[in-house]
Amino acid sequence: MSAEKIENYITSNLLNVQQSAHFGYTFFFYGSDHVLPFVTIAHADNEYDNVSNLSREGIFRVNIGVSKVTFNNLFPDLKKEWDFTETNVFMSQPSYASQHFICVLNPVGDKLEETLRFIQEAHAIAKNRFDKKQLKKSN
């Protein structure tokens, strides 16, 4: 599945999603909370992020903010050395693992299905965070 198809999945199947594009990334936010995206899709290397060699033809990276439980279940050994250029493998996100972000380059097959499930989880987390902020504002 191409990056565009994943983007279309997010905007067509998940409620209250806003997106913006900067620095070779597409950012997906829940509602008007543009502080922390729940998913980003990196389309190109930039001066701050070039570990995945996204300059290769057709390569993109999906970064997904999952729960701490999901993150720890995926990566029980955080000392693992990652090859961030490898495709179709879930890895801790190179810069945002401490915020429980995972990543995958060009997911296909079972990894694509898992990617979509993780995106749904990230959307639910972002919705919950947004709802809590709104509730706090109204009190």
Side-chain angles (χ1 to χ4, degrees):
M1 181 178 266
S2 68
E4 292 77 23
K5 288 183 180 180
I6 293 173
E7 290 175 16
N8 287 337
Y9 171 84
I10 294 169
T11 58
S12 299
N13 293 289
L14 303 176
L15 298 176
N16 203 14
V17 172
Q18 295 183 10
Q19 74 183 76
S20 64
H22 305 284
F23 310 112
Y25 285 79
T26 303
F27 298 85
F28 296 91
F29 301 94
Y30 184 87
S32 59
D33 181 22
H34 286 222
V35 176
L36 179 65
F38 65 93
V39 170
T40 64
I41 299 177
H43 303 278
D45 291 330
N46 61 51
E47 67 181 282
Y48 306 105
D49 181 359
N50 58 16
V51 298
S52 294
N53 191 16
L54 299 175
S55 59
R56 295 175 286 162
E57 182 69 32
I59 299 294
F60 64 94
R61 187 181 69 224
V62 183
N63 305 301
I64 310 165
V66 297
S67 70
K68 182 177 183 178
V69 170
T70 297
F71 187 90
N72 290 337
N73 285 338
L74 280 170
F75 312 120
D77 178 12
L78 289 178
K79 294 180 177 147
K80 177 177 170 64
E81 293 290 322
W82 298 105
D83 175 359
F84 290 108
T85 65
E86 191 174 358
T87 61
N88 207 38
V89 173
F90 288 110
M91 300 172 272
S92 63
Q93 206 280 344
S95 300
Y96 296 100
S98 62
Q99 285 98 357
H100 308 117
F101 269 76
I102 64 172
C103 67
V104 60
L105 279 66
N106 294 58
V108 295
D110 291 345
K111 296 292 189 236
L112 175 59
E113 294 305 314
E114 287 181 90
T115 298
L116 298 179
R117 284 194 299 275
F118 290 139
I119 288 171
Q120 291 168 0
E121 176 183 328
H123 178 263
I125 292 167
K127 178 187 182 311
N128 186 45
R129 185 175 55 241
F130 181 84
D131 290 348
K132 284 182 179 178
K133 273 186 176 179
Q134 296 306 308
L135 184 62
K136 203 174 198 179
K137 282 183 185 178
S138 67
N139 288 336

